[in-house]
mmCIF file of all heavy atoms in Angstrom:
data_model
loop_
_atom_site.group_PDB
_atom_site.id
_atom_site.type_symbol
_atom_site.label_atom_id
_atom_site.label_comp_id
_atom_site.label_asym_id
_atom_site.label_seq_id
_atom_site.Cartn_x
_atom_site.Cartn_y
_atom_site.Cartn_z
ATOM 1 N N VAL U 1 125.925 122.000 67.940
ATOM 2 C CA VAL U 1 124.900 122.760 67.230
ATOM 3 C C VAL U 1 125.494 124.107 66.834
ATOM 4 O O VAL U 1 126.058 124.813 67.673
ATOM 5 C CB VAL U 1 123.641 122.947 68.108
ATOM 6 C CG1 VAL U 1 122.604 123.791 67.388
ATOM 7 C CG2 VAL U 1 123.057 121.581 68.491
ATOM 8 N N PHE U 2 125.360 124.443 65.557
ATOM 9 C CA PHE U 2 125.914 125.684 65.032
ATOM 10 C C PHE U 2 124.823 126.547 64.427
ATOM 11 O O PHE U 2 123.893 126.041 63.791
ATOM 12 C CB PHE U 2 126.952 125.396 63.939
ATOM 13 C CG PHE U 2 128.192 124.724 64.432
ATOM 14 C CD1 PHE U 2 128.286 123.343 64.449
ATOM 15 C CD2 PHE U 2 129.275 125.469 64.871
ATOM 16 C CE1 PHE U 2 129.430 122.719 64.887
ATOM 17 C CE2 PHE U 2 130.424 124.855 65.312
ATOM 18 C CZ PHE U 2 130.501 123.465 65.326
ATOM 19 N N MET U 3 124.963 127.863 64.599
ATOM 20 C CA MET U 3 124.135 128.840 63.901
ATOM 21 C C MET U 3 124.892 129.215 62.631
ATOM 22 O O MET U 3 126.073 129.551 62.699
ATOM 23 C CB MET U 3 123.963 130.097 64.745
ATOM 24 C CG MET U 3 123.280 129.873 66.061
ATOM 25 S SD MET U 3 123.108 131.400 67.023
ATOM 26 C CE MET U 3 124.797 131.664 67.553
ATOM 27 N N ALA U 4 124.231 129.138 61.492
ATOM 28 C CA ALA U 4 124.875 129.484 60.231
ATOM 29 C C ALA U 4 124.249 130.748 59.672
ATOM 30 O O ALA U 4 123.034 130.891 59.650
ATOM 31 C CB ALA U 4 124.725 128.343 59.232
ATOM 32 N N ASP U 5 125.086 131.645 59.239
ATOM 33 C CA ASP U 5 124.624 132.875 58.615
ATOM 34 C C ASP U 5 125.201 132.903 57.204
ATOM 35 O O ASP U 5 126.240 133.492 56.952
ATOM 36 C CB ASP U 5 125.089 134.090 59.419
ATOM 37 C CG ASP U 5 124.561 135.389 58.857
ATOM 38 O OD1 ASP U 5 123.559 135.346 58.116
ATOM 39 O OD2 ASP U 5 125.150 136.438 59.154
ATOM 40 N N THR U 6 124.529 132.196 56.301
ATOM 41 C CA THR U 6 125.026 132.033 54.944
ATOM 42 C C THR U 6 123.874 132.159 53.961
ATOM 43 O O THR U 6 122.843 131.519 54.133
ATOM 44 C CB THR U 6 125.675 130.632 54.782
ATOM 45 O OG1 THR U 6 126.702 130.490 55.749
ATOM 46 C CG2 THR U 6 126.238 130.441 53.411
ATOM 47 N N SER U 7 124.061 132.962 52.945
ATOM 48 C CA SER U 7 123.042 133.077 51.905
ATOM 49 C C SER U 7 122.977 131.790 51.103
ATOM 50 O O SER U 7 123.998 131.146 50.853
ATOM 51 C CB SER U 7 123.382 134.234 50.960
ATOM 52 O OG SER U 7 123.359 135.448 51.665
ATOM 53 N N GLN U 8 121.783 131.402 50.733
ATOM 54 C CA GLN U 8 121.568 130.219 49.904
ATOM 55 C C GLN U 8 122.192 128.961 50.518
ATOM 56 O O GLN U 8 122.801 128.134 49.836
ATOM 57 C CB GLN U 8 122.126 130.450 48.491
ATOM 58 C CG GLN U 8 121.564 131.661 47.792
ATOM 59 C CD GLN U 8 120.070 131.537 47.548
ATOM 60 O OE1 GLN U 8 119.572 130.468 47.246
ATOM 61 N NE2 GLN U 8 119.352 132.632 47.691
ATOM 62 N N ALA U 9 122.032 128.795 51.835
ATOM 63 C CA ALA U 9 122.671 127.691 52.551
ATOM 64 C C ALA U 9 122.196 126.327 52.059
ATOM 65 O O ALA U 9 122.992 125.382 51.987
ATOM 66 C CB ALA U 9 122.439 127.831 54.046
ATOM 67 N N SER U 10 120.931 126.190 51.720
ATOM 68 C CA SER U 10 120.432 124.891 51.232
ATOM 69 C C SER U 10 121.103 124.514 49.917
ATOM 70 O O SER U 10 121.518 123.369 49.730
ATOM 71 C CB SER U 10 118.914 124.932 51.049
ATOM 72 O OG SER U 10 118.291 125.127 52.282
ATOM 73 N N ALA U 11 121.205 125.463 49.015
ATOM 74 C CA ALA U 11 121.863 125.201 47.729
ATOM 75 C C ALA U 11 123.341 124.903 47.944
ATOM 76 O O ALA U 11 123.907 123.998 47.314
ATOM 77 C CB ALA U 11 121.695 126.398 46.795
ATOM 78 N N LEU U 12 123.970 125.631 48.849
ATOM 79 C CA LEU U 12 125.382 125.403 49.142
ATOM 80 C C LEU U 12 125.585 124.007 49.728
ATOM 81 O O LEU U 12 126.507 123.281 49.335
ATOM 82 C CB LEU U 12 125.898 126.465 50.122
ATOM 83 C CG LEU U 12 127.342 126.329 50.567
ATOM 84 C CD1 LEU U 12 128.296 126.370 49.380
ATOM 85 C CD2 LEU U 12 127.672 127.432 51.559
ATOM 86 N N GLY U 13 124.729 123.597 50.656
ATOM 87 C CA GLY U 13 124.825 122.265 51.240
ATOM 88 C C GLY U 13 124.657 121.175 50.205
ATOM 89 O O GLY U 13 125.382 120.170 50.211
ATOM 90 N N SER U 14 123.730 121.364 49.291
ATOM 91 C CA SER U 14 123.523 120.387 48.221
ATOM 92 C C SER U 14 124.767 120.278 47.339
ATOM 93 O O SER U 14 125.202 119.176 47.005
ATOM 94 C CB SER U 14 122.324 120.783 47.355
ATOM 95 O OG SER U 14 121.147 120.754 48.109
ATOM 96 N N ALA U 15 125.319 121.410 46.971
ATOM 97 C CA ALA U 15 126.522 121.406 46.135
ATOM 98 C C ALA U 15 127.700 120.756 46.863
ATOM 99 O O ALA U 15 128.465 119.994 46.265
ATOM 100 C CB ALA U 15 126.878 122.835 45.722
ATOM 101 N N MET U 16 127.827 121.023 48.165
ATOM 102 C CA MET U 16 128.929 120.433 48.929
ATOM 103 C C MET U 16 128.782 118.919 49.052
ATOM 104 O O MET U 16 129.784 118.194 49.044
ATOM 105 C CB MET U 16 129.015 121.072 50.316
ATOM 106 C CG MET U 16 129.522 122.503 50.279
ATOM 107 S SD MET U 16 129.494 123.301 51.896
ATOM 108 C CE MET U 16 130.725 122.353 52.773
ATOM 109 N N SER U 17 127.545 118.438 49.150
ATOM 110 C CA SER U 17 127.334 116.997 49.325
ATOM 111 C C SER U 17 127.724 116.201 48.076
ATOM 112 O O SER U 17 128.047 115.023 48.173
ATOM 113 C CB SER U 17 125.896 116.702 49.721
ATOM 114 O OG SER U 17 125.024 116.958 48.649
ATOM 115 N N ILE U 18 127.707 116.830 46.903
ATOM 116 C CA ILE U 18 128.107 116.135 45.680
ATOM 117 C C ILE U 18 129.396 116.708 45.086
ATOM 118 O O ILE U 18 129.762 116.384 43.961
ATOM 119 C CB ILE U 18 126.972 116.170 44.635
ATOM 120 C CG1 ILE U 18 126.636 117.607 44.216
ATOM 121 C CG2 ILE U 18 125.745 115.447 45.147
ATOM 122 C CD1 ILE U 18 125.745 117.707 42.999
ATOM 123 N N HIS U 19 130.078 117.522 45.849
ATOM 124 C CA HIS U 19 131.272 118.225 45.364
ATOM 125 C C HIS U 19 132.276 117.311 44.680
ATOM 126 O O HIS U 19 132.759 117.606 43.593
ATOM 127 C CB HIS U 19 131.939 118.973 46.524
ATOM 128 C CG HIS U 19 133.148 119.736 46.115
ATOM 129 N ND1 HIS U 19 134.406 119.192 46.163
ATOM 130 C CD2 HIS U 19 133.298 120.983 45.626
ATOM 131 C CE1 HIS U 19 135.287 120.082 45.734
ATOM 132 N NE2 HIS U 19 134.631 121.174 45.408
ATOM 133 N N GLU U 20 132.594 116.201 45.298
ATOM 134 C CA GLU U 20 133.628 115.314 44.749
ATOM 135 C C GLU U 20 133.250 114.721 43.396
ATOM 136 O O GLU U 20 134.107 114.252 42.665
ATOM 137 C CB GLU U 20 133.935 114.194 45.729
ATOM 138 C CG GLU U 20 132.776 113.242 45.952
ATOM 139 C CD GLU U 20 133.036 112.245 47.053
ATOM 140 O OE1 GLU U 20 133.468 112.648 48.144
ATOM 141 O OE2 GLU U 20 132.790 111.054 46.810
ATOM 142 N N HIS U 21 131.982 114.781 43.034
ATOM 143 C CA HIS U 21 131.520 114.212 41.774
ATOM 144 C C HIS U 21 131.509 115.209 40.623
ATOM 145 O O HIS U 21 131.339 114.809 39.467
ATOM 146 C CB HIS U 21 130.112 113.621 41.947
ATOM 147 C CG HIS U 21 130.054 112.566 42.998
ATOM 148 N ND1 HIS U 21 130.601 111.319 42.828
ATOM 149 C CD2 HIS U 21 129.555 112.589 44.260
ATOM 150 C CE1 HIS U 21 130.417 110.604 43.928
ATOM 151 N NE2 HIS U 21 129.786 111.354 44.807
ATOM 152 N N TRP U 22 131.676 116.491 40.923
ATOM 153 C CA TRP U 22 131.626 117.476 39.844
ATOM 154 C C TRP U 22 132.778 118.472 39.855
ATOM 155 O O TRP U 22 132.942 119.237 38.921
ATOM 156 C CB TRP U 22 130.302 118.239 39.856
ATOM 157 C CG TRP U 22 130.089 119.115 41.061
ATOM 158 C CD1 TRP U 22 129.556 118.751 42.247
ATOM 159 C CD2 TRP U 22 130.422 120.498 41.200
ATOM 160 N NE1 TRP U 22 129.536 119.804 43.123
ATOM 161 C CE2 TRP U 22 130.064 120.898 42.504
ATOM 162 C CE3 TRP U 22 130.996 121.448 40.350
ATOM 163 C CZ2 TRP U 22 130.265 122.184 42.984
ATOM 164 C CZ3 TRP U 22 131.193 122.737 40.824
ATOM 165 C CH2 TRP U 22 130.819 123.093 42.121
ATOM 166 N N ASN U 23 133.601 118.452 40.903
ATOM 167 C CA ASN U 23 134.660 119.448 41.006
ATOM 168 C C ASN U 23 135.903 118.798 41.590
ATOM 169 O O ASN U 23 135.852 118.207 42.658
ATOM 170 C CB ASN U 23 134.190 120.594 41.901
ATOM 171 C CG ASN U 23 135.097 121.792 41.851
ATOM 172 O OD1 ASN U 23 136.305 121.667 41.669
ATOM 173 N ND2 ASN U 23 134.526 122.964 42.025
ATOM 174 N N MET U 24 137.007 118.905 40.907
ATOM 175 C CA MET U 24 138.249 118.277 41.368
ATOM 176 C C MET U 24 139.017 119.149 42.361
ATOM 177 O O MET U 24 139.968 118.705 42.983
ATOM 178 C CB MET U 24 139.150 117.950 40.163
ATOM 179 C CG MET U 24 138.465 117.057 39.124
ATOM 180 S SD MET U 24 137.573 115.645 39.829
ATOM 181 C CE MET U 24 138.918 114.537 40.114
ATOM 182 N N ASN U 25 138.611 120.408 42.540
ATOM 183 C CA ASN U 25 139.272 121.305 43.481
ATOM 184 C C ASN U 25 138.789 121.036 44.898
ATOM 185 O O ASN U 25 137.705 120.491 45.125
ATOM 186 C CB ASN U 25 138.984 122.767 43.126
ATOM 187 C CG ASN U 25 139.519 123.135 41.763
ATOM 188 O OD1 ASN U 25 140.619 122.746 41.400
ATOM 189 N ND2 ASN U 25 138.732 123.856 40.995
ATOM 190 N N ASP U 26 139.584 121.446 45.898
ATOM 191 C CA ASP U 26 139.162 121.343 47.289
ATOM 192 C C ASP U 26 138.012 122.312 47.552
ATOM 193 O O ASP U 26 137.900 123.352 46.901
ATOM 194 C CB ASP U 26 140.320 121.693 48.229
ATOM 195 C CG ASP U 26 141.425 120.647 48.204
ATOM 196 O OD1 ASP U 26 141.140 119.479 47.863
ATOM 197 O OD2 ASP U 26 142.570 120.990 48.532
ATOM 198 N N VAL U 27 137.190 121.976 48.533
ATOM 199 C CA VAL U 27 136.111 122.868 48.937
ATOM 200 C C VAL U 27 136.740 124.065 49.644
ATOM 201 O O VAL U 27 137.558 123.885 50.555
ATOM 202 C CB VAL U 27 135.129 122.156 49.892
ATOM 203 C CG1 VAL U 27 134.077 123.122 50.403
ATOM 204 C CG2 VAL U 27 134.474 120.973 49.206
ATOM 205 N N PRO U 28 136.420 125.285 49.242
ATOM 206 C CA PRO U 28 136.969 126.458 49.937
ATOM 207 C C PRO U 28 136.608 126.436 51.424
ATOM 208 O O PRO U 28 135.505 126.038 51.804
ATOM 209 C CB PRO U 28 136.292 127.639 49.232
ATOM 210 C CG PRO U 28 135.879 127.107 47.908
ATOM 211 C CD PRO U 28 135.559 125.658 48.127
ATOM 212 N N THR U 29 137.523 126.855 52.262
ATOM 213 C CA THR U 29 137.312 126.768 53.712
ATOM 214 C C THR U 29 136.420 127.867 54.272
ATOM 215 O O THR U 29 135.867 127.705 55.341
ATOM 216 C CB THR U 29 138.659 126.791 54.451
ATOM 217 O OG1 THR U 29 139.367 127.975 54.075
ATOM 218 C CG2 THR U 29 139.486 125.568 54.120
ATOM 219 N N LEU U 30 136.248 128.965 53.581
ATOM 220 C CA LEU U 30 135.479 130.087 54.125
ATOM 221 C C LEU U 30 134.103 130.234 53.484
ATOM 222 O O LEU U 30 133.645 131.336 53.239
ATOM 223 C CB LEU U 30 136.279 131.384 53.980
ATOM 224 C CG LEU U 30 137.607 131.420 54.736
ATOM 225 C CD1 LEU U 30 138.355 132.706 54.432
ATOM 226 C CD2 LEU U 30 137.375 131.290 56.228
ATOM 227 N N LEU U 31 133.428 129.130 53.253
ATOM 228 C CA LEU U 31 132.099 129.200 52.649
ATOM 229 C C LEU U 31 131.008 129.536 53.655
ATOM 230 O O LEU U 31 130.008 130.139 53.311
ATOM 231 C CB LEU U 31 131.750 127.863 51.994
ATOM 232 C CG LEU U 31 132.465 127.538 50.703
ATOM 233 C CD1 LEU U 31 132.081 126.142 50.226
ATOM 234 C CD2 LEU U 31 132.137 128.559 49.638
ATOM 235 N N LEU U 32 131.191 129.131 54.897
ATOM 236 C CA LEU U 32 130.160 129.306 55.913
ATOM 237 C C LEU U 32 130.632 130.227 57.022
ATOM 238 O O LEU U 32 131.773 130.165 57.458
ATOM 239 C CB LEU U 32 129.791 127.960 56.544
ATOM 240 C CG LEU U 32 129.175 126.909 55.647
ATOM 241 C CD1 LEU U 32 129.016 125.612 56.416
ATOM 242 C CD2 LEU U 32 127.838 127.376 55.132
ATOM 243 N N ASN U 33 129.720 131.045 57.490
ATOM 244 C CA ASN U 33 129.954 131.849 58.678
ATOM 245 C C ASN U 33 129.119 131.210 59.778
ATOM 246 O O ASN U 33 127.896 131.312 59.766
ATOM 247 C CB ASN U 33 129.525 133.297 58.427
ATOM 248 C CG ASN U 33 129.764 134.176 59.634
ATOM 249 O OD1 ASN U 33 130.567 133.837 60.505
ATOM 250 N ND2 ASN U 33 129.073 135.293 59.704
ATOM 251 N N VAL U 34 129.774 130.492 60.695
ATOM 252 C CA VAL U 34 129.041 129.740 61.722
ATOM 253 C C VAL U 34 129.539 130.094 63.108
ATOM 254 O O VAL U 34 130.666 130.536 63.292
ATOM 255 C CB VAL U 34 129.158 128.213 61.508
ATOM 256 C CG1 VAL U 34 128.537 127.791 60.198
ATOM 257 C CG2 VAL U 34 130.589 127.749 61.591
ATOM 258 N N LYS U 35 128.660 129.864 64.085
ATOM 259 C CA LYS U 35 128.993 130.080 65.491
ATOM 260 C C LYS U 35 128.373 128.945 66.289
ATOM 261 O O LYS U 35 127.173 128.673 66.154
ATOM 262 C CB LYS U 35 128.451 131.421 65.964
ATOM 263 C CG LYS U 35 128.759 131.724 67.415
ATOM 264 C CD LYS U 35 128.186 133.065 67.813
ATOM 265 C CE LYS U 35 128.461 133.329 69.278
ATOM 266 N NZ LYS U 35 127.832 134.563 69.732
#
């Protein structure tokens, strides 16, 4: 279980779930601040 401190986390999660279908680049590693 992680605590996430990220603005617009729902939108970010949605974009990440379909990332491979719209973006050929790797997902940046520092998108989330989690503990």
Side-chain angles (χ1 to χ4, degrees):
V1 177
F2 293 91
M3 299 180 287
D5 184 20
T6 303
S7 297
Q8 304 296 323
S10 296
L12 178 59
S14 296
M16 289 175 67
S17 69
I18 62 168
H19 181 268
E20 66 187 49
H21 302 288
W22 66 273
N23 191 328
M24 303 315 280
N25 298 318
D26 291 335
V27 175
T29 56
L30 298 176
L31 287 176
L32 297 174
N33 181 20
V34 297
K35 180 180 178 185

